[in-house]
Amino acid sequence: MRSNQSRSVVSHVIKVTVLSALITSSFSSWATGTSAIEANDRPTPADIIVMNADIRTSDAAKPRASALAIKDGKFIAVGSPDYIRLLKSEKTQVIDAKGNTVIPGLIDAHTHLLVGTDLMNGVDLFGVKDKQQWLQMVKEKADSLPKGSWIFGGRWDASLTADKKLPTAAELDAVAPDHPVALIDVDYHTMWVNSKALAELEINDKTPNPTGGTIQRDKDGKATGILLENAIDIYNHSPKVIAAQGDKSKKLRKVIEHFNSLGVTGVHDMWTNVGSEYTDLLKEGGFPMRVWYGYMVDTDEKNTGDEAFKKQAELQKEINAFAEAKEKSIGKGPMYRYGFHKYYMDGTLMNHTAALHESYSDRHDHFLGKPLYSQERMNELVQRSHKFGFPVGIHAIGDNAVTMALKAFKDSTEGKGLANRIEHIELTKFSNMEKFSRDNVIPSMQPDHAIAPNFLEERLGKERLKRGWAWQSLLTAGGELVFGSDWPTAKEEPMVQLGDAVLREKDGKVWYGENALTFDEALYAYTQAPAKITGWDKEIGSITVGKWADFAIVDGKIKDPVPQDIRNWKISQTWFAGEKVYDKADVKK
C-alpha cells in the first residue's frame, strides 16, 4: 500500500516538474521570441530593439507604433511588439523607452552651423538686455586674450535694450582698444565693430557702400562701427579675419555634438564658403549629422557671370563625388552635399529693412524697406543658378520681398524640377499662398521668429499679422512646409520650435491661432519634409523600415493636446544610423 502511494507521489512530482519546465520554457520562448518548435522559423535577429515606446514616425503609412528594431544601422521593423519580440537574440540590445515618445532624427532646415563656430570661443550676448553687460563681457574676453587677438561672437539685440539704439565703435573702443572686435547681431544682418576692426578691414570714411549693403556713418561722414546687410561681406571675405578664425573643423564638431543633444541628426546649413570644414571632418572618418549645404553667393558682378557659376558647378561635382566616396567607406549613409545657392531679397523687420508692400506701422513716412536687388537682377541670379543645376533658396521676410522671390522662380525657364525655396516668409499676401504649391516653391520657416520678438505688432499692425507666419495657411494651400531654427539668430532647441508651432502662444496668450499646427504636422515639417528637399527622403526623415535608424527619445510622452510646457522638454537619447550619439544619463555622470 505504502509502496503504491510512493510510486504515485513520485509520478505526480515528475509530472508537475515536467509541466513546470514546459511552462518556464514556453514563457522564456515568448520573452525571447524563440522556441524549439520555431528554431527553423526565426526572422533575422535585430541588433537593437526599442520597446514600450510612443513612436511618432512621420510616415503616413504607419504614423504611430510602439516598438522598433534595427540591424546594420537601419530600421528593419516598426510597429507591433508581438512581432518585434521575435527579433531578439542573446546579442540584441533591448531599450525600454518607458512609454516615452520616440521621434525621427530631427532635421533643422535652416541653420548656420559654421557661423556658430565663432560662438564656441567668443562672446555670446543672446538674450542679454543691458548694454553695459555687453561691454563688460567684451572687456572680460579682451582681458583674457593677447593684445591684437580678434574677438568674435555677438547675437546682440538692440530692441531689447532700454534706448533701443544701435551701439557704436566708440563704446567697444573704451573696453577693448587693443583688440579688433566684430560682433554680429541676433539677426545676422548687422555687425558691430570697433575702430581697430575697421582699420583691419580697411574701412575708412571714403570706403564706398557695397551693392545691397551700408557702412553706417554719422553726420560728419565718419563710420560709426555698424555694417548693414551686404557690407558684412567685407568682414566675411577678409583674409585677416579668416586667418584669425583658425581651424573651424574642431569647433564645428563641438557644434554638431551640441545639436545631437537636441535630437538633431540633419541640418540644412548655409554660409559664404562651400563648407570645406565638413569635407575635412569626412577625411577624419565622418560625423553624426546629415548636412545639405547652401552656398551664400557673393553677388558682386565679377562673381556672378557664367564663368564663375561654371566653376561653382564643377566644384560642386568634385565635392559631392568626394563625399559620396567617403560615405561609402564609412557606411552610415549620406553626410554632406553641396546642394544649393542662397540669395537675399531683403533684410529684417527688426531693422525696418524687410521689404513691404505698404509702409511700416511705426514709420509713417512711407518707409517700406528697400529690396536689396531689382526684380531684373534677382531674376538674372536665379536663372543663372538654375542654368548650372543649382536649386535656389531666397531670404525673403517682407511681403514685397516674397512676391519678388516668387516671381523670380516663376520666370526662370530652367528651374523646373529643382527644390527651390523661400526662407522665412514672415509676411506674405493671401494671394501668394497658392503660388508655393502651384510653382513648386518650398516655404522654409522658423516658428520662434514669430513668438520671441516683442516688436511685431508695432512694426506691422494687427490686420497684417493675420497673414504673418502663416504656417497653417501655406500648408493648407498645398505648400511643402519645412521648419528650422535659423540658429544662431534664434533658439536652436527643436522642442521650442515645435512648441511654438503647435501652441502659438505669446506672453501666455494664443497669438493668431488660426495658423497653428498639430504636433504631427509640425514634426513632419521638421523631419520628412526637409529630407525630401535633399533627395534623401528614401533614406532618412521618418521611422520607416529600410531607412537609416536616426531617431531620438524624448524625456516624456507627448500627449494630445500638447502639454503647455513642451518647449522646456529635453531629449534623453539621440541615435544616428543605429549608433547612440547622445545620452542624457552620460551627461549627468
Side-chain angles (χ1 to χ4, degrees):
M1 185 72 175
R2 288 182 180 176
S3 178
N4 289 337
Q5 284 181 335
S6 297
R7 284 196 295 271
S8 177
V9 170
V10 170
S11 175
H12 178 72
V13 169
I14 292 172
K15 289 178 180 178
V16 170
T17 302
V18 171
L19 181 60
S20 176
L22 287 171
I23 292 172
T24 301
S25 175
S26 178
F27 178 80
S28 177
S29 298
W30 171 84
T32 63
T34 63
S35 71
I37 297 173
E38 298 170 344
N40 297 320
D41 186 26
R42 285 167 47 192
T44 303
D47 297 327
I48 302 161
I49 286 174
V50 178
M51 304 290 286
N52 189 24
D54 166 44
I55 303 173
R56 305 286 189 105
T57 67
S58 288
D59 182 344
K62 185 180 281 292
R64 304 292 286 268
S66 58
L68 62 82
I70 300 163
K71 187 169 182 61
D72 298 330
K74 293 186 176 182
F75 296 115
I76 62 168
V78 179
S80 166
D82 298 305
Y83 172 76
I84 289 174
R85 285 191 188 97
L86 302 177
L87 307 182
K88 182 180 179 298
S89 72
E90 293 180 355
K91 297 180 180 179
T92 301
Q93 179 183 357
V94 179
I95 299 168
D96 181 0
K98 299 178 181 178
N100 290 343
T101 297
V102 175
I103 56 178
L106 295 160
I107 302 173
D108 188 322
H110 188 120
T111 60
H112 306 282
L113 296 195
L114 284 178
V115 186
T117 57
D118 284 344
L119 292 171
M120 291 295 100
N121 298 306
V123 178
D124 189 356
L125 305 178
F126 188 77
V128 179
K129 300 179 181 180
D130 183 357
K131 277 188 182 178
Q132 291 307 310
Q133 190 175 346
W134 295 358
L135 296 170
Q136 179 60 30
M137 292 170 72
V138 173
K139 184 180 186 305
E140 289 172 2
K141 177 59 69 173
D143 291 343
S144 72
L145 296 173
K147 289 184 179 181
S149 302
W150 277 81
I151 296 174
F152 301 114
R155 301 213 294 173
W156 51 273
D157 185 348
S159 73
L160 298 178
T161 62
D163 63 10
K164 301 187 185 302
K165 293 181 180 179
L166 291 173
T168 65
E171 291 172 294
L172 284 175
D173 293 343
V175 295
D178 301 317
H179 298 77
V181 183
L183 304 174
I184 197 75
D185 82 326
V186 71
D187 275 338
Y188 277 66
H189 287 256
T190 306
M191 177 163 276
W192 175 28
V193 298
N194 66 350
S195 297
K196 196 165 184 65
L198 286 170
E200 291 285 311
L201 296 173
E202 299 180 359
I203 295 174
N204 56 48
D205 300 341
K206 296 181 180 180
T207 304
N209 289 328
T211 302
T214 302
I215 300 168
Q216 188 187 71
R217 307 173 197 276
D218 62 19
K219 62 181 180 180
D220 298 319
K222 303 289 185 182
T224 66
I226 291 294
L227 308 179
L228 295 163
E229 302 300 343
N230 288 359
I232 300 171
D233 285 344
I234 301 172
Y235 163 87
N236 291 333
H237 300 298
S238 165
K240 291 181 180 179
V241 170
I242 293 170
Q245 287 171 334
D247 183 4
K248 281 193 171 186
S249 299
K250 292 180 180 178
K251 298 176 185 176
L252 179 58
R253 196 175 286 281
K254 290 182 179 179
V255 174
I256 290 172
E257 289 173 359
H258 173 62
F259 270 74
N260 283 162
S261 75
L262 306 175
V264 177
T265 57
V267 295
H268 298 180
D269 196 12
M270 310 165 201
W271 196 228
T272 55
N273 60 27
V274 291
S276 58
E277 293 84 354
Y278 287 108
T279 53
D280 288 344
L281 292 182
L282 280 173
K283 292 174 186 176
E284 298 173 8
F287 45 86
M289 191 66 68
R290 309 196 189 280
V291 181
W292 181 246
Y293 196 79
Y295 169 51
M296 293 164 56
V297 178
D298 180 353
T299 54
D300 189 282
E301 293 284 349
K302 68 178 181 293
N303 295 321
T304 53
D306 273 12
E307 191 59 34
F309 276 56
K310 181 181 178 182
K311 288 181 180 178
Q312 280 296 317
E314 291 170 351
L315 183 59
Q316 180 198 41
K317 184 176 180 180
E318 178 185 333
I319 288 172
N320 290 352
F322 167 81
E324 286 186 52
K326 281 293 183 183
E327 290 160 4
K328 188 174 181 180
S329 64
I330 295 169
K332 293 183 180 178
M335 292 182 177
Y336 181 77
R337 293 292 182 279
Y338 171 8
F340 65 103
H341 279 172
K342 167 97 180 285
Y343 297 105
Y344 285 85
M345 196 67 244
D346 67 347
T348 69
L349 288 169
M350 183 176 76
N351 292 331
H352 294 91
T353 52
L356 305 180
H357 281 297
E358 293 86 28
S359 298
Y360 281 85
S361 295
D362 58 346
R363 285 286 194 81
H364 299 294
D365 53 358
H366 302 290
F367 186 88
L368 306 178
K370 185 179 178 181
L372 297 177
Y373 303 99
S374 67
Q375 185 72 65
E376 181 182 17
R377 177 58 171 160
M378 182 52 63
N379 284 11
E380 178 188 345
L381 291 169
V382 168
Q383 178 87 3
R384 191 159 288 146
S385 288
H386 287 167
K387 176 181 176 180
F388 289 93
F390 290 98
V392 170
I394 300 177
H395 166 115
I397 283 180
D399 52 4
N400 187 27
V402 174
T403 297
M404 294 175 74
L406 285 167
K407 181 169 175 52
F409 287 133
K410 188 175 188 299
D411 290 350
S412 176
T413 58
E414 302 193 53
K416 310 307 177 188
L418 295 176
N420 297 308
R421 49 200 284 176
I422 298 179
E423 308 298 325
H424 307 305
I425 319 167
E426 296 187 357
L427 185 71
T428 190
K429 292 283 191 180
F430 285 121
S431 56
N432 277 337
M433 293 181 189
E434 64 192 39
K435 296 176 184 178
F436 285 87
S437 176
R438 186 191 71 193
D439 298 330
N440 296 312
V441 179
I442 298 148
S444 171
M445 306 178 76
Q446 302 75 44
D448 198 53
H449 279 333
I451 305 304
N454 58 3
F455 53 79
L456 299 180
E457 195 165 294
E458 180 183 339
R459 294 285 189 276
L460 299 175
K462 292 182 178 180
E463 191 61 31
R464 269 189 292 194
L465 282 175
K466 292 178 181 178
R467 49 188 173 85
W469 291 270
W471 312 316
Q472 185 59 256
S473 296
L474 286 163
L475 195 63
T476 301
E480 189 73 34
L481 179 65
V482 299
F483 275 161
S485 66
D486 199 12
W487 184 83
T489 77
K491 295 175 182 177
E492 66 271 35
E493 294 93 337
M495 299 310 291
V496 170
Q497 304 291 341
L498 292 169
D500 286 342
V502 176
L503 299 173
R504 203 167 165 114
E505 288 184 355
K506 189 189 283 281
D507 300 325
K509 297 179 181 179
V510 175
W511 188 75
Y512 301 91
E514 63 272 18
N515 269 304
L517 302 180
T518 68
F519 180 78
D520 287 322
E521 287 172 335
L523 182 64
Y524 188 90
Y526 230 112
T527 52
Q528 185 63 24
K532 188 175 180 180
I533 298 177
T534 65
W536 293 336
D537 51 312
K538 302 298 182 185
E539 298 185 78
I540 62 171
S542 65
I543 298 177
T544 302
V545 172
K547 292 191 178 185
W548 291 101
D550 301 348
F551 66 98
I553 303 176
V554 181
D555 200 6
K557 182 175 181 178
I558 300 173
K559 300 178 180 179
D560 296 315
V562 171
Q564 288 294 310
D565 65 346
I566 189 172
R567 286 178 277 206
N568 299 322
W569 286 31
K570 304 299 180 185
I571 299 297
S572 61
Q573 290 185 11
T574 305
W575 292 71
F576 179 86
E579 179 182 346
K580 186 166 61 174
V581 293
Y582 169 76
D583 193 324
K584 183 179 177 182
D586 293 339
V587 176
K588 289 181 178 180
K589 293 176 184 178

